Structures are given as C-alpha cells and as structure tokens.
Amino acid sequence: MKIAVPAETMPGERRVALVPELVSRLTDAGLEVAVEPAAGAAARYSDDAYRSAGAAVEADALDGAQALLCVQPPAIEQVHRLDKDAITISFLPTARELELVRALRDAGTTAFAMELVPRVSRAQAMDALSSQALVAGYRSALIAAERLPRFFPLLMTAAGTVPPARVLVLGAGVAGLQAIATARRLGAVVRAYDVRAAAAEEVRSVGAEFIDLDLPTLEGAGGYAREATEERARRQRELLAPHVADADALITTAAVPGRPAPLLVTREMVEAMKPGSIVVDLAAESGGNVEGSKPGEELTVGNARVWGGRNVPSQMPGQASRLYATNVVNLLLLMNADGELKPDLSDEVLAGCCVTHAGEVRHGPTRELLGEDAE
C-alpha cells in the first residue's frame, strides 16, 4: 500500500509528517512510501535523505495513495487525489474545518485527528499534543530569556552580584513543565501555578516553587484541567496579580481541549509588571491566557512586552517533525496487518481519534456541529 507525504502548504508551517530515519519502519512493515519533492526541506530533511531511506520522491506522490500523512489538515484537493476509501492522519481541528470534514466523509475517507488520540497508557507513543507541547514549552523559555533585557542566572562578579531573574509559569502541563525546567537550567528562580492538584508535586520535581492560592482544584478528564466558573476565575486572577507583578518574565501555557483558552491574566495585571518585563503567551492561538495577546505578534502593554505564540513547535521544525513523525508512524502501524492498512475501530485508540469512516462522521461533537443525527 502506498503511503504519501505531502509538502505542507499552510503559511509558516515548517514541519513534515515523516522524517527519513523513520521511513524504514514503514517499508519493513510492507508499506510503500512516496514523498513530494522538498516536503522536508524547511525541516532540513533533503530529498536525497528520503531516497536513501527507501522512499520514492515524486511530484505525483498523492495520486492513488491509500494513506496520507500530514501535519496540518489536508486540502480538499489533496483528498480527491487519494485512492477510494483512503486513510488520512493529521491534526484536524474539526470545528474550524467543517467543509473538509464533509469532503472526507463524502469521499469515504477514514480520517484520524492526532489531537483526539486518547490519553491512555498504550497511546502515549502516539500523543502528538504532548510531543509538540514539549517543543513549545522549551521554546517559550528561550523566547523569554532572549527578550528579557537582563540575565536569567545569578551572577557574582567583581562589579557586584546580579540577582537571578524571577520567572512565573501559569499552567503546568507538558508545555509548562518543560518551560519551568528550561528556565531553571538557564538559572532563573521559577514559580508556577496550575489548577490541578497533581501539578504541585510535578512543579516541585523540576525545581520550581508551586504557588498555592488555596482555591478548589479543577481536575478534568484525561489529565487536563476543566473549565472554571467565572467567579472562581475572577478570584484566581486577584490572587495571582501580586505574583504576576513580581515576575520579570511570565509564561502562560494553560489550555482546555476543544474550548477557548482560559483568561488568566488581565491587561491591568500586565500593566502592573516591572519595566522591561516579558510575557510569553503560548495559548494566543486559542484565544489567549493573557488579555489582548495576538498570535504571531509582540505588543507593548504598560512597561511589558507581550509575545503571542503562533505555531511555536514549527520554530524548531527538525526535532518537532521527528517527534510528530514518531507519533504518526506508531498510530499508522497500529492499523497495519501484513502490509495492508485495516483500521480496527473497536480499538479504543483508533476509535477515539477517528473523525470520519465509511461515509459517516464518527466523532460526536463534530457530528453535532454538522447537524447530523447519531446513528
């Protein structure tokens, strides 16, 4: 069966869904791999590297392919080039891609969304949200250190002692913990807050101080935080305000899957920060944890600068691609049987991330958005 890997077309997307070193895992499983020319160029993977790994590099890679591996959602035109009843694997934010979902349904395509992979133990190696959050969290600390006009570490010099920077991280999931660990390695004093009870020990394990606001915890399904009431959110902001004002750098990473990012920091809280402070909002694309942040833009608010993240993992395309490709290959091989792709939708992992199959929309929330009745 032919597995196709296209060049990503979304502006600013530099990742690729398959890297040369993982091609052999597919060919050894009896699958044929075809890659569009320059598909990996932005991530520094050459066409020759794919050829050496056993993949074909051809302009018509998608034509008649039985599976399509992407980072961003495929274009409708790409879906039409695939074999009948083909499989697609990509990130697929269905609420923003309803026209594409209809096209996938009507083509009989079996579409899997990487952000819907269930958070169960056996699916950890397929968890692309976590692997890409790892990259974003690391990158966020570097962005803060680069833009903060002072040293991160404590320095003791003949000219005097320079105290370390004070970094506050809001949200201690994968991205937040990686931001904490990276800022600590750079020498900063780091404090962090998360609404989940389990986060306290995780924060301490990477060397930061956990801020206890003495508020009820908000444990949600799958290890995520659940949405707060407006009253609780308001009280949380009040209690966080002095900690924000005391920070030289603020990094926000909080997200609730499928919903807008929670507002953690108001404009007034940012305006109370010290001159030269930097705010890095990794949640800017989903509405922002910081009031007024904009994805891909850096704004001045009071004495601080607010940097809004846009596709942050793509800023480290080589390693982000390597991690994402591993997730994708593991998911694809879960449905491989002697060189044939036969997804068993009784499997909880495949069922959990399947959006369309056999002319139907299987993902309940997406079906509701389309106004379709459950079977």
Side-chain angles (χ1 to χ4, degrees):
M1 298 188 76
K2 180 180 177 182
I3 312 300
V5 180
E8 298 289 328
T9 58
M10 179 176 288
E13 181 54 74
R14 300 167 62 198
R15 292 169 291 178
V16 63
L18 182 68
V19 300
E21 65 190 277
L22 295 178
V23 169
S24 63
R25 289 192 60 193
L26 299 182
T27 56
D28 289 349
L31 302 170
E32 174 189 346
V33 179
V35 180
E36 282 190 337
R44 302 294 187 265
Y45 296 113
S46 69
D47 289 348
D48 286 342
Y50 283 104
R51 293 189 185 97
S52 297
V57 179
E58 50 196 30
D60 59 353
L62 275 64
D63 294 342
Q66 284 79 41
L68 179 67
L69 311 183
C70 308
V71 179
Q72 299 294 341
I76 292 176
E77 181 273 336
Q78 291 175 322
V79 174
H80 291 159
R81 292 172 60 188
L82 303 176
D83 191 29
K84 185 179 183 297
D85 302 328
I87 291 168
T88 65
I89 300 178
S90 69
F91 281 118
L92 183 55
T94 57
R96 301 200 306 263
E97 298 285 351
L98 292 179
E99 183 179 359
L100 172 60
V101 171
R102 292 188 185 97
L104 291 164
R105 176 200 62 196
D106 295 345
T109 303
T110 300
F112 294 96
M114 292 303 290
E115 62 266 62
L116 297 179
V117 170
R119 301 199 97 188
V120 295
S121 296
R122 59 184 289 262
Q124 287 181 349
M126 310 163 206
D127 186 354
L129 282 182
S130 290
S131 75
Q132 301 308 288
L134 182 79
V135 179
Y138 173 81
R139 180 70 180 146
S140 70
L142 299 186
I143 291 165
E146 178 186 16
R147 283 165 168 73
L148 186 68
R150 58 162 298 165
F151 293 114
F152 256 42
L154 167 71
L155 296 177
M156 301 182 70
T157 76
T161 299
V162 180
R166 301 177 67 84
V167 176
L168 175 62
V169 178
L170 301 182
V174 174
L177 290 173
Q178 187 59 42
I180 293 167
T182 304
R184 288 284 295 126
R185 293 188 192 106
L186 293 172
V189 172
V190 185
R191 308 180 78 193
Y193 174 73
D194 192 286
V195 298
R196 297 169 299 117
E201 187 57 37
E202 294 169 349
V203 165
R204 297 184 185 108
S205 74
V206 290
E209 176 188 348
F210 184 78
I211 298 172
D212 187 354
L213 299 182
D214 196 25
L215 291 172
T217 58
L218 296 173
E219 302 286 352
Y224 291 106
R226 60 184 170 86
E227 196 170 17
T229 64
E230 180 51 41
E231 175 57 28
R232 190 200 183 283
R234 182 194 60 77
R235 180 59 179 157
Q236 178 179 285
R237 290 191 291 267
E238 289 178 354
L239 295 172
L240 282 174
H243 299 287
V244 171
D246 187 52
D248 299 299
L250 169 65
I251 299 172
T252 64
T253 70
V256 179
R259 299 182 182 180
L263 177 64
L264 305 180
V265 180
T266 63
R267 183 180 182 89
E268 289 74 21
M269 293 165 70
V270 176
E271 289 174 343
M273 296 180 75
K274 294 172 284 190
S277 299
I278 179 69
V279 177
V280 177
D281 187 358
L282 286 184
E285 285 183 294
S286 58
N289 295 146
V290 180
E291 185 178 14
S293 70
K294 296 183 179 180
E297 297 186 25
E298 186 171 320
L299 310 173
T300 298
V301 179
N303 294 313
R305 289 187 294 168
V306 178
W307 185 92
R310 180 193 292 276
N311 196 5
V312 177
S314 192
Q315 296 180 13
M316 299 182 65
Q319 289 185 310
S321 295
R322 172 66 174 77
L323 293 169
Y324 178 77
T326 300
N327 301 141
V328 167
V329 168
N330 287 334
L331 183 66
L332 185 67
L333 292 180
L334 187 61
M335 59 187 88
N336 180 60
D338 300 322
E340 296 289 325
L341 296 178
K342 299 177 180 179
D344 177 7
L345 296 184
S346 67
D347 182 295
E348 65 174 332
V349 175
L350 296 179
C353 60
C354 183
V355 176
T356 63
H357 174 70
E360 297 178 356
V361 177
R362 290 180 56 94
H363 183 238
T366 303
R367 192 166 53 236
E368 292 177 7
L369 289 172
L370 291 171
E372 298 182 3
D373 294 329
E375 295 295 330

